[in-house]
Amino acid sequence: MADTKREIERKYEARGRDTDATSLPDLTAVGGVSALVHRGVTELDAVYYDTADQRLAAASITLRRRTGGDDAGWHLKLPVADGVRDEIRAPLSAGVPRVLVGLVRSRIRDAPLLPVVRLRSLRDVHHLVDSDGALLAELSVDVVTADRLSGGDGSTGWTEIEVELADDQEPAFLDKVEKKLKKGGLRRSKSASKLARALAETAPAPVPVDAPEPAAEAVPVSGAVSAEAGPASGAVSAPGAGPDAVVPPHTAAAPVLAYLTVQRDALVTLDPAVRRDEHDSVHRMRVATRRMRSTFRSYGKVLDRAVTDPIADELKWLAGELGVDRDAEVLTERLTGHLTGLPRTLTAGPVRTRLRTWAHARRGGSRRRLIAVLDGKRYLTLLNRIDALLAAPPLLPAAHRDPAKVIHKAAAKDFGKLSALVEAALARPRGPERDLAMHDARKKAKRLRYAAEAALDTLGAPAKDAVRGAKALQGLLGEHQDSVMTRGALRDIAAQAQGAHESSFTYGLVYGREEHLAAGYEDALPEAWEEAQRRTREIRGTR
């Protein structure tokens, strides 16, 4: 069993040799602080685990087994933002707890976890409290000794100050404390964590080699994409596959590979969030798979589809597994929203209980299945194949051409397919055939949007405008599809209610409301389509 704590902290070190890191300034002068309460000295002993090539450290993740103090046990720290981490704790055991191994599986794959560093700290703890004695922050003066356990045998030591914000306190309080500490001769630590500093200071001396001349004008693909293209986790090299490919800038390959790298990083980073059932994590991970698949198809003249199609098929499989959980979540939220707005006089029978039972049955099974998928060999093999592709991309002749021309051509092709589906939907009467055509158009609108996202840094404003137009159209078509799926769910729930001799009146009422909403989405389609055409003209190379 593991529990999670959000940790907001900052680390400080002496600014110069003449500064004593153990000498604290008067922190009662900090606004809101009434007293600095000494809580005693504690001895902490922690062994940190990582792969032999330090994949966790490269992602700013720490995994340790610590004894001493009031929180002895296994601690996994996942970065959230600068100075903010989620600490997942598990009880002491001989080996790394299975739940924690699962949370780093997307990083380590099949590589074993080894003890890499041992940190022993003499921790002098102080509490910053207000006039009521409530805890504002915990300040610790740590005298640290670090010993390398693998990949070398060095040792080092230092003294640092750590300030951790108490639960439910505003992060701005740390700014006030920092201002006082800086006046006292301290500065923010140059290392993000004790482990990072220990690894750096105990690393073996590099063996001198004759360095090759760097390729002219070469750029790493992992840093060349706009933040608008999707969630990024920072520069993450491909585990087990060497560094990501380096390609010349100003070619069609550069933005395409950069966009794919962002999506790969998103998959790896979101894996533990999905396992922890964080809000919207399944949806975001599913979107990353779709973005990658769509890019393979849109830019089939850049990357050889003989290589990317099998990977795309596996991404489709993964999206399908993620979709079971996500679809249940969307339908439950939509149905709950309907019931919340209904007056009691229109709620006949145990409607809310029936909905909870239905949702729990669908979601419970899907969660178990999804975790099994993420622990499975097929999923890890897919991640390895994506890494290998980015390390050695199968470039075609168009990959070396002018990116603007290649992007315009790809966007025009995607738009043509979208246009045919939208026109087909508008030509059909309301009913299942139009529903299906609108659903297919939604998928093509996504492809056009993702093709434009990959071009944001290359084409700028035209690509940004196209993203907005395709996204708006996709949103309208998505609402329509959600309505179609909700009506299907209502039929199922109503049948279950009737089988239990319960009234189905309320389900029929909500069904009628969904029909009305769907009709509104269909009526709005012509205008949304006209706007999407206008906004995508430039990226398609038309006027």
Side-chain angles (χ1 to χ4, degrees):
M1 193 68 178
D3 54 62
T4 302
K5 181 181 184 300
R6 177 61 55 91
E7 180 183 82
I8 303 177
E9 66 178 20
R10 298 179 186 179
K11 298 179 185 294
Y12 300 90
E13 60 188 12
R15 187 176 295 161
R17 292 184 178 180
D18 297 332
T19 306
D20 183 2
T22 64
S23 180
L24 297 175
D26 181 13
L27 294 176
T28 58
V30 175
V33 178
S34 178
L36 186 66
V37 181
H38 188 227
R39 303 293 294 179
V41 178
T42 303
E43 293 185 16
L44 305 175
D45 192 342
V47 174
Y48 287 77
Y49 287 72
D50 204 338
T51 60
D53 53 358
Q54 296 176 16
R55 299 177 191 179
L56 298 185
S60 299
I61 295 171
T62 61
L63 173 63
R64 72 188 179 201
R65 183 186 187 275
R66 189 166 79 180
T67 56
D70 57 5
D71 64 345
W74 286 92
H75 304 156
L76 173 66
K77 297 190 179 186
L78 302 173
V80 176
D82 185 26
V84 183
R85 296 185 292 183
D86 278 344
E87 182 178 274
I88 298 95
R89 300 173 178 176
L92 283 173
S93 59
V96 184
R98 183 176 179 181
V99 64
L100 300 188
V101 175
L103 291 174
V104 297
R105 179 62 70 196
S106 66
R107 300 284 184 183
I108 67 173
R109 313 292 164 81
D110 291 325
L113 288 167
L114 310 169
V116 292
V117 166
R118 181 185 183 188
L119 289 180
R120 285 167 289 176
S121 302
L122 196 63
R123 170 164 288 185
D124 192 4
V125 181
H126 302 76
H127 282 182
L128 281 68
V129 299
D130 64 14
S131 58
D132 296 325
L135 181 64
L136 301 173
E138 181 175 281
L139 184 147
S140 304
V141 180
D142 292 341
V143 180
V144 183
T145 302
D147 298 301
R148 191 85 170 215
L149 300 179
S150 63
D153 57 2
S155 297
T156 188
W158 68 89
T159 299
E160 70 177 30
I161 291 177
E162 182 178 293
V163 183
E164 181 175 347
L165 192 69
D167 294 342
D168 302 322
Q169 297 298 324
E170 291 296 325
F173 175 72
L174 293 181
D175 295 333
K176 299 178 183 179
V177 176
E178 179 169 299
K179 186 176 180 180
K180 193 66 178 177
L181 292 175
K182 284 184 175 180
K183 286 183 177 180
L186 300 174
R187 66 182 178 190
R188 284 276 198 108
S189 176
K190 294 180 180 179
S191 298
S193 66
K194 288 183 177 67
L195 175 62
R197 182 167 182 171
L199 288 172
E201 294 185 5
T202 63
V207 178
V209 294
D210 293 330
E213 291 294 325
E217 296 293 324
V219 296
V221 302
S222 60
V225 67
S226 165
E228 287 199 47
S233 62
V236 179
S237 61
D244 291 338
V246 175
V247 298
H250 315 304
T251 63
V256 172
L257 289 172
Y259 188 70
L260 289 171
T261 300
V262 170
Q263 307 319 316
R264 184 278 309 274
D265 292 350
L267 284 176
V268 172
T269 303
L270 286 166
D271 178 292
V274 169
R275 292 173 185 267
R276 295 165 61 200
D277 201 17
E278 289 187 13
H279 176 69
D280 207 37
S281 58
V282 171
H283 171 63
R284 290 161 58 206
M285 191 174 187
R286 191 182 186 191
V287 167
T289 68
R290 288 171 169 170
R291 281 182 165 127
M292 191 169 285
R293 282 182 61 221
S294 182
T295 303
F296 288 152
R297 293 185 178 182
S298 293
Y299 296 104
K301 298 296 184 182
V302 174
L303 299 174
D304 189 354
R305 288 192 59 174
V307 177
T308 63
D309 276 357
I311 297 176
D313 289 341
E314 290 301 280
L315 286 167
K316 183 178 181 181
W317 159 76
L318 178 58
E321 296 291 350
L322 292 164
V324 174
D325 201 37
R326 173 61 181 169
D327 290 344
E329 182 181 286
V330 170
L331 291 176
T332 302
E333 288 178 359
R334 194 173 180 102
L335 288 169
T336 301
H338 277 300
L339 296 178
T340 301
L342 279 181
R344 290 181 177 275
T345 54
L346 298 180
T347 305
V351 176
R352 287 177 175 78
T353 301
R354 172 64 59 188
L355 175 58
R356 283 195 298 270
T357 301
W358 174 85
H360 184 267
R362 289 172 61 93
R363 185 162 171 75
S366 64
R367 283 294 302 167
R368 289 190 296 273
R369 178 181 174 86
L370 180 54
I371 298 303
V373 166
L374 297 182
D375 284 334
K377 184 177 180 179
R378 184 175 180 179
Y379 167 67
L380 297 180
T381 299
L382 169 60
L383 294 181
N384 287 335
R385 292 175 70 181
I386 294 170
D387 289 341
L389 180 138
L390 292 172
L395 302 180
L396 296 175
H400 308 286
R401 295 175 187 158
D402 178 3
K405 292 182 178 179
V406 173
I407 290 165
H408 282 311
K409 189 172 182 179
K413 184 177 180 181
D414 286 342
F415 179 84
K417 294 179 179 180
L418 171 62
S419 179
L421 288 168
V422 173
E423 296 298 337
L426 292 172
R428 287 179 169 83
R430 286 194 172 99
E433 288 188 1
R434 174 182 272 196
D435 293 344
L436 182 59
M438 291 180 70
H439 179 48
D440 289 340
R442 176 198 183 195
K443 291 186 285 188
K444 291 298 184 292
K446 287 181 184 177
R447 184 183 299 183
L448 178 60
R449 172 189 168 186
Y450 300 153
E453 284 180 348
L456 282 170
D457 282 356
T458 303
L459 299 185
K464 190 173 184 178
D465 204 33
V467 169
R468 288 174 176 170
K471 185 177 180 180
L473 180 64
Q474 172 196 330
L476 177 70
L477 295 169
E479 288 289 344
H480 181 271
Q481 177 62 15
D482 287 347
S483 178
V484 171
M485 293 181 66
T486 301
R487 280 177 277 158
L490 284 166
R491 286 193 292 268
D492 291 341
I493 298 171
Q496 293 174 14
Q498 287 178 328
H501 305 291
E502 298 167 3
S503 172
S504 59
F505 168 80
T506 302
Y507 309 114
L509 178 64
V510 175
Y511 190 98
R513 289 189 173 188
E514 279 291 354
E515 279 190 321
H516 179 73
L517 288 172
Y521 301 141
E522 294 177 36
D523 291 341
L525 179 58
E527 184 177 347
W529 173 230
E530 184 177 338
E531 177 67 6
Q533 292 180 82
R534 184 185 69 80
R535 284 186 173 272
T536 58
R537 281 198 182 107
E538 286 194 62
I539 196 174
R540 292 186 282 121
T542 60
R543 298 296 180 201

